[in-house]
Amino acid sequence: MSISLQPQIDQAAELLRSSKLTVSFTGAGISTPSGIPDFRSPGSGLWNKYDPFEVASLTAFRRHPQNFFNWIKPLVKIARQAQPNLAHTCLAHMEKQGFLQAVITQNIDGLHQKAGSSHVVELHGSAQSATCPHCFKKYGADWLPDSFLLNDSLPLCENCGAVIKPDVVLFEELLPVDAWLEAERLCESADVILVIGSSLEVYPASSLPQTGLQHGARLIIATRSHTPLDEYADLVFNQDLIEVIPNLCRALNIL
């Protein structure tokens, strides 16, 4: 770690030690080191290759399910094979040691849970499960068998025969109410919010750290890109988060 970063790392650790309720707010940047592609990075994001309303909207799922599944199947396969990186693992360690009470995530890959985090609020749903939109039968992690990943067939409900939908929030859909209310409650009560890997540009999720600020939370931001809240944060780290978060854990004597 750069010696010049150590004072900031120590300051962040002190904020966490003095906090009674710390929440982490994570975005795509925490998962890209695990091989999960993000959506908005210039030149490399998925939305540079696809029109989201053509493949990832509720209308697309209903009218052109084959196009939708042609798009999402590779992402599901990548997410299933991906493993948590050190940043995910560090957050799980922080939770176990009492320095972190919850993770609010914009990600749908389930890597926080794989890493061992137990209190995870998924704002945009999860690719690890699915629901039939007609009879509402629930499906677990095996909702898309490996055999379906290799051909153009669609996953059909075993009850009613309808095409089942992964539990991800698509364009034209509202965020899940229970997750949103839980995230809002956490941010309103937090002493510290640790933003990791999010540019804070995707509304309404991006409004949650601002809600925390309005209720007196201290803000630590660790992400490569600049965010609209940088000027209001106590600390901003634009370095590689795989360096920053483990060093924060070392400063807390938990790694």
Side-chain angles (χ1 to χ4, degrees):
M1 179 182 67
S2 170
I3 295 176
S4 63
L5 275 183
Q6 192 61 55
Q8 290 177 285
I9 291 288
D10 291 341
Q11 187 179 348
E14 189 54 39
L15 285 175
L16 294 183
R17 287 192 190 96
S18 62
S19 173
K20 294 180 180 177
L21 177 59
T22 297
V23 175
S24 184
F25 180 92
T26 67
I30 197 172
S31 290
T32 50
S34 293
I36 305 291
D38 72 0
F39 289 84
R40 289 174 172 79
S41 291
S44 61
L46 288 175
W47 297 150
N48 292 296
K49 304 174 183 177
Y50 300 95
D51 179 340
F53 286 96
E54 291 293 326
V55 295
S57 66
L58 189 59
T59 297
F61 171 78
R62 289 172 172 169
R63 294 182 180 176
H64 308 288
Q66 191 65 66
N67 291 342
F68 170 81
F69 277 98
N70 287 344
W71 168 74
I72 203 170
K73 279 181 180 182
L75 298 180
V76 172
K77 184 177 181 180
I78 291 170
R80 285 184 180 176
Q81 294 174 343
Q83 295 301 315
N85 60 58
L86 194 51
H88 293 108
T89 304
C90 283
L91 291 184
H93 286 327
M94 289 170 64
E95 182 183 7
K96 288 181 174 65
Q97 296 298 321
F99 291 107
L100 182 69
Q101 280 64 55
V103 174
I104 301 169
T105 188
Q106 297 171 279
N107 299 335
I108 61 173
D109 51 44
L111 290 180
H112 285 298
Q113 292 92 330
K114 282 186 181 180
S117 292
S118 61
H119 190 177
V120 181
V121 181
E122 295 175 308
L123 291 175
H124 294 156
S126 173
Q128 311 305 306
S129 60
T131 302
C132 175
H134 288 265
C135 71
F136 306 109
K137 178 177 173 60
K138 300 287 185 180
Y139 292 84
D142 59 349
W143 71 272
L144 192 61
D146 289 342
S147 58
F148 280 76
L149 294 172
L150 302 175
N151 55 49
D152 290 334
S153 57
L154 297 174
L156 303 179
C157 179
E158 60 189 33
N159 274 359
C160 68
V163 178
I164 62 177
K165 176 186 171 295
D167 291 332
V168 298
V169 177
L170 304 179
F171 288 93
E172 304 172 333
E173 287 191 297
L174 298 175
L175 300 187
V177 174
D178 290 346
W180 176 258
L181 293 176
E182 173 71 355
E184 199 171 46
R185 181 192 68 78
L186 286 165
C187 289
E188 288 174 354
S189 304
D191 297 313
V192 175
I193 298 177
L194 176 59
V195 175
I196 303 176
S198 175
S199 61
L200 298 179
E201 293 179 347
V202 181
Y203 188 84
S206 60
S207 68
L208 288 167
Q210 185 170 356
T211 295
L213 284 173
Q214 292 169 346
H215 284 78
R218 311 290 290 272
L219 188 61
I220 302 170
I221 298 176
T223 190
R224 283 288 196 182
S225 60
H226 294 290
T227 83
L229 296 185
D230 283 359
E231 63 182 297
Y232 305 104
D234 288 80
L235 293 159
V236 176
F237 298 93
N238 293 132
Q239 293 78 13
D240 186 349
L241 58 86
I242 296 298
E243 176 184 7
V244 172
I245 305 306
N247 277 293
L248 178 56
C249 280
R250 292 185 184 100
L252 292 168
N253 296 317
I254 56 175
L255 189 66

